Amino acid sequence: MTTLRVLAWLLLSVFLLLVGAIGYLPFYLQTHKADLEAAAGEALGRPVTIDGVALGWLLHPRPGLSIVLHGLRVSNPDWDTDHTLGPHLLEAERVDVTWQPRALLHRQVRIDQVVIRGARVMLQKTADGRDNWQLGKGKDKDKDKGSSKISLRIPTVQLSDSQVTFASPKAPVRRADITRLQLDGLGAEPLVLEAELSINETPLTLNARAG
């Protein structure tokens, strides 16, 4: 009987510690929002700003505890000075990010899935062939390979209720309204795409596989 009581108290203590840690995590994340912005900016090679950080829970595509980013913005490269579609490559109302806990033991952040809602993606191509969607550190990215603590290899990316706009100097601006898009295998093979969207008010369903 005494052994059962000790075991019960131990289990209760562990449970309370977990509840306390989960309850404290949102305050910790918000306090260290600037560090998160800096780490994301280093990985993407662009300034990143976030209005707020919280803790959430994802049910789909895979259940898991998530970090919720409210008001996420990823800037355009420095060479974009005319802001044809605006100053940002990406503006998102909400982004849920889940991670692989084992990687934390190696002081790394390995993202498991990213779910983006209410986003505007502004893609631009210039007359001299430059585009604003090439992320990373440019020519130095191979030298720094492996030094970043955030991996851009993401098993699942999901986009919903969003809009993608593409501007090119040789063509009119085109727009796609995305009901749902899921990309599996980003950064690894095979790459699988499933999407429901409309381009210039024409509904489309896409299924593609590469690699």
Side-chain angles (χ1 to χ4, degrees):
M1 193 72 177
T2 303
T3 304
L4 288 176
R5 285 182 180 177
V6 171
L7 182 60
W9 275 109
L10 284 173
L11 291 174
L12 180 60
S13 299
V14 170
F15 175 75
L16 291 175
L17 283 172
L18 286 173
V19 170
I22 292 173
Y24 174 72
L25 189 55
F27 299 100
Y28 176 86
L29 291 172
Q30 186 64 33
T31 302
H32 291 80
K33 182 169 69 72
D35 296 332
L36 185 60
E37 290 173 333
E42 180 185 359
L44 298 175
R46 304 281 180 83
V48 174
T49 57
I50 303 167
D51 289 341
V53 187
L55 202 63
W57 181 262
L58 271 183
L59 295 176
H60 185 78
R62 293 184 297 276
L65 195 66
S66 70
I67 296 174
V68 183
L69 310 177
H70 295 285
L72 172 69
R73 295 178 295 280
V74 179
S75 295
N76 275 327
D78 295 336
W79 51 258
D80 178 37
T81 56
D82 57 0
H83 300 320
T84 303
L85 297 179
H88 300 118
L89 167 65
L90 169 69
E91 299 173 354
E93 295 177 3
R94 173 175 175 143
V95 178
D96 284 81
V97 181
T98 65
W99 63 95
Q100 299 174 10
R102 288 184 182 179
L104 298 177
L105 299 176
H106 303 285
R107 301 183 68 181
Q108 292 182 326
V109 178
R110 294 193 179 276
I111 297 172
D112 183 50
Q113 55 186 346
V114 175
V115 177
I116 305 171
R117 300 181 182 94
R120 293 179 65 237
V121 182
M122 284 71 72
L123 305 178
Q124 303 177 49
K125 196 172 187 66
T126 63
D128 59 4
R130 291 181 295 180
D131 49 61
N132 70 335
W133 60 85
Q134 293 293 333
L135 300 174
K137 300 179 181 180
K139 295 180 181 179
D140 297 328
K141 65 182 177 182
D142 292 332
K143 296 179 182 178
D144 297 334
K145 190 176 181 180
S147 62
S148 177
K149 293 183 179 180
I150 296 184
S151 170
L152 290 181
R153 179 174 292 184
I154 306 172
T156 301
V157 176
Q158 190 177 90
L159 192 65
S160 62
D161 300 325
S162 299
Q163 183 183 97
V164 177
T165 305
F166 178 75
S168 171
K170 297 182 180 180
V173 174
R174 287 170 285 181
R175 190 185 77 189
D177 296 300
I178 298 174
T179 303
R180 187 188 70 85
L181 181 149
Q182 183 163 320
L183 189 62
D184 293 309
L186 186 62
E189 295 182 351
L191 188 65
V192 180
L193 171 69
E194 296 179 358
E196 297 174 8
L197 67 157
S198 62
I199 299 178
N200 296 330
E201 301 183 356
T202 302
L204 292 172
T205 299
L206 300 178
N207 290 279
R209 182 185 180 95

